[in-house]
């Protein structure tokens, strides 16, 4: 008689050597295989327990292919507990490249029409994760039907399946564009989130269809929904550290970035709500920083007015004063990404960037130095050259050659006079311990 899953886990953990563990697994795998072959009424009742143990054995790295057919039998079972175990095993023991997966297509189609929403959810989850090209093509019409389902639980999972269909069968995208747009009007946050992610995928991976979403009607929907999230009070169902559904806010802002890029009219429609996000978001928590980070990237990528860009760069400047190392690193990295859009606005935070050169964290010092190189011009060369030489003193020996080369390029380009040029080069070489490359 084979043991229960809990007993198997306990026996494996009690094994003191790898050989003892293999012996336990080999013995139990043989009992499971025998139970599958006998296929009597008693073993059928324990099939879901045996498959559960087989999943544990698979997670430990041992062979489990002999249980694939039992997975299909569990999926076809009318008992929900067995069906749930079958779909779980389907996602773990099989993948889209195995021919046996085609045998489950008809059963999955029946489950998609089931009266129990959770059975439908199991089928949609499996379809969205491991469906092959043939399976997605066969069941695309069922997914299209469920995108119009009145149940938000099913609509949300159907949207995830639609993403899988677009990946596997791109020619079917036109059948789902209107459905994806309609999801933006949904009241359920989960459905909204999946709908936004679906549109983001289309605009990112299928640029020929970008124009379908670059419309004023869609921007108005996004602005309205984002504005309601920013202005809403405390909502316990969606609150995360004082912010209302930050995941949805970030998705809205990211989609606005794709829609507004290169389109001045649509960008103008977004400026007010982006300014509200930038000024009203709580900055004392990491979740607020995540929203502000996306907001800054969007402002710098759309055709925003200069005042809004200055506000975005000032937000990044605030990141540099945060005690959290990760936040300061993100601020420095993002400033390096956007400095070409407004160098003068970034230059206003020069002193804060210089302070980052003294940070104990080497990654922050390195990012600050990269930003200093970008900020140097004829007006600040004297000040920044002094800071670069100070940084050279504390740098590692293997990095000094590269730093000296870059400092030399900057000094050659922006030196105010020949005497300062020569004195600075001599100081740099005395610190670096190397001669300037010819």
């Amino acid at each position: 008689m084979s043991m229960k899953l809990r007993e198997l886990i306990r026996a494996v953990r009690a094994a003191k050597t790898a050989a003892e563990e293999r012996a336990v697994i080999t013995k139990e795998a043989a009992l499971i295989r025998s139970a599958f072959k006998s296929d009597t009424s008693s073993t059928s009742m324990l099939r879901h327990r045996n498959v559960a143990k087989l999943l544990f054995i698979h997670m430990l790295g041992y062979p489990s292919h002999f249980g694939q057919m039992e997975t299909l039998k569990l999926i076809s079972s009318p008992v929900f507990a067995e069906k749930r175990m079958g779909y779980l095993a389907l996602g773990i023991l099989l993948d889209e490249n195995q021919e046996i997966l085609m045998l489950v297509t008809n059963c999955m189609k029946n489950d998609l029409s089931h009266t129990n929403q959770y059975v439908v959810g199991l089928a949609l989850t499996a379809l969205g994760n491991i469906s092959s090209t043939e399976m997605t093509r066969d069941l695309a019409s069922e997914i299209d039907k469920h995108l119009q389902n009145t149940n938000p639980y099913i609509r949300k999972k159907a949207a995830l399946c639609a993403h899988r269909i677009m990946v596997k069968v791109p020619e079917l995208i036109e059948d789902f564009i209107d459905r994806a747009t309609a999801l933006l009007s949904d009241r359920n946050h989960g459905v909204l989130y999946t709908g936004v992610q679906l549109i983001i995928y289309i605009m990112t991976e299928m640029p020929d269809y970008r124009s379908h979403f670059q419309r004023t009607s869609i921007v108005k929907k996004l602005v309205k929904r984002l504005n309601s999230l920013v202005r809403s009070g405390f909502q316990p169902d969606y609150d995360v550290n004082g912010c209302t559904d930050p995941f949805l806010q970030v998705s809205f802002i990211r989609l606005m970035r794709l829609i507004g890029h290169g389109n001045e009219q649509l960008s103008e429609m977004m400026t007010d709500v982006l300014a509200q996000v930038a000024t009203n978001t709580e900055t004392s928590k990491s979740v607020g920083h995540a929203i502000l980070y996306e907001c800054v990237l969007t402002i710098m990528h759309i055709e925003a007015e200069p005042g809004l860009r200055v506000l975005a760069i000032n937000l990044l400047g605030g990141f540099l004063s945060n005690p959290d190392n990760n936040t300061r690193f993100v601020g420095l990295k993002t400033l390096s990404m956007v400095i070409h859009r407004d160098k003068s606005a970034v230059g206003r935070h020069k002193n804060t960037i210089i302070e980052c050169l003294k940070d104990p964290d080497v990654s922050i010092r390195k990012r600050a130095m990269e930003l200093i190189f970008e900020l140097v011009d004829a007006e600040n060369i004297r000040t920044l050259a002094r800071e670069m030489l100070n940084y050279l003193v504390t740098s590692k020996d293997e990095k000094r050659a590269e730093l000296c080369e870059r400092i030399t390029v900057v000094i050659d380009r922006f030196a105010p006079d020949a005497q300062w040029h020569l004195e600075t080069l001599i100081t740099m070489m005395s610190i670096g311990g190397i001669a300037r490359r010819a």
Side-chain angles (χ1 to χ4, degrees):
M1 182 67 180
S2 63
M3 61 183 75
K4 296 180 179 180
L5 175 60
R6 184 178 300 178
E7 296 170 350
L8 174 60
I9 295 173
R10 189 180 296 116
V12 170
R13 287 180 175 177
K16 297 180 179 180
T17 64
E20 289 183 17
E21 179 185 296
R22 284 196 299 271
V24 172
I25 295 298
T26 302
K27 179 180 178 181
E28 188 60 30
L31 292 172
I32 294 174
R33 192 191 299 266
S34 299
F36 287 162
K37 288 181 178 180
S38 63
D39 200 21
T40 61
S41 58
S42 59
T43 56
S44 297
M45 293 177 61
L46 298 177
R47 182 179 289 121
H48 67 287
R49 192 176 79 178
N50 287 330
V51 171
K53 290 187 291 184
L54 195 62
L55 293 180
F56 177 68
I57 292 172
H58 175 81
M59 290 168 59
L60 294 177
Y62 295 93
S64 57
H65 58 278
F66 57 88
Q68 292 178 349
M69 286 303 299
E70 304 304 313
T71 295
L72 304 186
K73 293 178 182 178
L74 285 178
I75 292 175
S76 61
S77 172
V79 181
F80 178 77
E82 295 183 356
K83 188 179 290 289
R84 181 175 58 182
M85 181 58 66
Y87 274 113
L88 176 62
L90 181 71
I92 296 177
L93 301 181
L94 283 82
D95 59 55
E96 61 184 87
N97 299 318
Q98 296 183 356
E99 295 182 359
I100 193 175
L101 192 64
M102 292 301 298
L103 299 176
V104 80
T105 303
N106 187 58
C107 185
M108 192 176 291
K109 184 175 182 179
N110 294 333
D111 286 341
L112 288 173
S113 303
H114 204 280
T115 56
N116 188 330
Q117 64 170 346
Y118 299 109
V119 173
V120 178
L122 289 174
L124 290 172
T125 300
L127 183 61
N129 281 281
I130 66 164
S131 59
S132 61
T133 301
E134 294 77 11
M135 184 181 291
T136 52
R137 196 186 302 274
D138 293 339
L139 300 177
S141 59
E142 297 293 326
I143 303 305
D144 181 67
K145 181 179 67 176
H146 283 307
L147 282 171
Q148 307 170 66
N149 198 295
T150 57
N151 189 332
Y153 173 81
I154 294 177
R155 289 200 304 275
K156 174 179 65 176
K157 291 183 177 291
L160 296 175
C161 290
H163 177 274
R164 180 78 176 189
I165 291 173
M166 292 179 188
V167 173
K168 291 297 178 182
V169 195
E171 59 266 26
L172 294 179
I173 182 175
E174 294 186 1
D175 297 337
F176 291 93
I177 284 183
D178 291 338
R179 299 282 184 252
T181 305
L183 293 177
L184 294 179
S185 302
D186 206 290
R187 293 182 176 275
N188 183 275
H189 284 211
V191 179
L192 260 177
Y193 180 80
T194 52
V196 171
Q197 293 301 319
L198 187 59
I199 295 175
I200 288 175
Y201 173 79
I202 295 173
M203 296 191 69
T204 304
E205 302 297 330
M206 303 175 180
D208 293 341
Y209 294 92
R210 290 176 68 99
S211 58
H212 288 270
F213 304 102
Q214 290 182 315
R215 301 201 303 264
T216 57
S217 59
I218 291 181
V219 175
K220 286 180 179 179
K221 287 181 182 179
L222 293 175
V223 169
K224 181 179 179 181
R225 300 308 296 266
L226 181 58
N227 192 34
S228 65
L229 288 175
V230 174
R231 292 177 175 273
S232 65
F234 175 73
Q235 298 185 31
D237 291 341
Y238 304 112
D239 183 79
V240 179
N241 286 340
C243 291
T244 302
D245 204 341
F247 302 100
L248 188 56
Q249 288 193 49
V250 166
S251 298
F252 281 150
I253 296 171
R254 189 173 297 169
L255 181 54
M256 286 181 178
R257 180 161 73 246
L258 294 173
I259 293 176
H261 183 68
N263 192 311
E264 187 173 346
Q265 179 186 359
L266 297 180
S267 297
E268 186 177 355
M269 296 172 63
M270 306 173 186
T271 53
D272 288 343
V273 71
L274 290 174
Q276 290 180 19
V277 172
T279 55
N280 296 334
T281 301
E282 177 63 45
T283 59
S284 61
K285 302 289 180 62
S286 296
V287 64
H289 293 142
I291 296 174
L292 291 176
Y293 172 74
E294 289 295 337
C295 184
V296 167
L297 290 183
T298 298
I299 291 173
M300 300 308 293
H301 280 80
I302 66 174
E303 307 305 314
E305 57 185 24
L308 192 58
R309 289 180 183 170
V310 172
L311 174 61
I313 291 175
N314 289 341
L315 288 174
L316 293 176
F319 281 20
L320 304 185
S321 303
N322 194 282
D324 180 62
N325 285 0
N326 294 328
T327 303
R328 292 203 302 279
F329 182 85
V330 169
L332 290 167
K333 182 179 179 180
T334 312
L335 282 172
S336 299
M337 293 166 54
V338 303
I339 190 172
H340 66 282
R341 299 299 299 267
D342 197 335
K343 186 175 180 178
S344 61
V346 177
R348 297 190 186 101
H349 302 279
K350 178 181 62 178
N351 294 334
T352 310
I353 297 170
I354 290 174
E355 286 299 315
C356 291
L357 289 174
K358 307 170 187 177
D359 196 279
D361 192 320
V362 63
S363 62
I364 292 178
R365 295 200 304 270
K366 183 179 178 181
R367 281 291 174 186
M369 192 61 183
E370 293 291 335
L371 193 52
I372 290 292
F373 282 127
E374 296 288 339
L375 281 175
V376 175
D377 56 31
E379 295 181 0
N380 59 27
I381 179 62
R382 292 180 183 271
T383 302
L384 295 185
R386 183 169 59 251
E387 298 299 334
M388 287 188 284
L389 293 176
N390 290 337
Y391 179 80
L392 185 62
V393 173
T394 60
S395 63
K396 295 181 179 180
D397 292 342
E398 60 269 21
K399 298 292 184 180
R400 288 188 175 182
E402 180 184 354
L403 284 172
C404 286
E405 185 173 354
R406 297 190 66 179
I407 292 172
T408 301
V409 172
V410 171
I411 292 173
D412 289 347
R413 182 178 179 184
F414 297 109
D417 54 65
Q419 181 179 352
W420 182 89
H421 186 192
L422 182 59
E423 291 175 349
T424 306
L425 285 178
I426 293 174
T427 303
M428 180 199 71
M429 288 186 288
S430 65
I431 295 173
I434 61 172
R436 182 186 177 187
R437 293 182 180 181

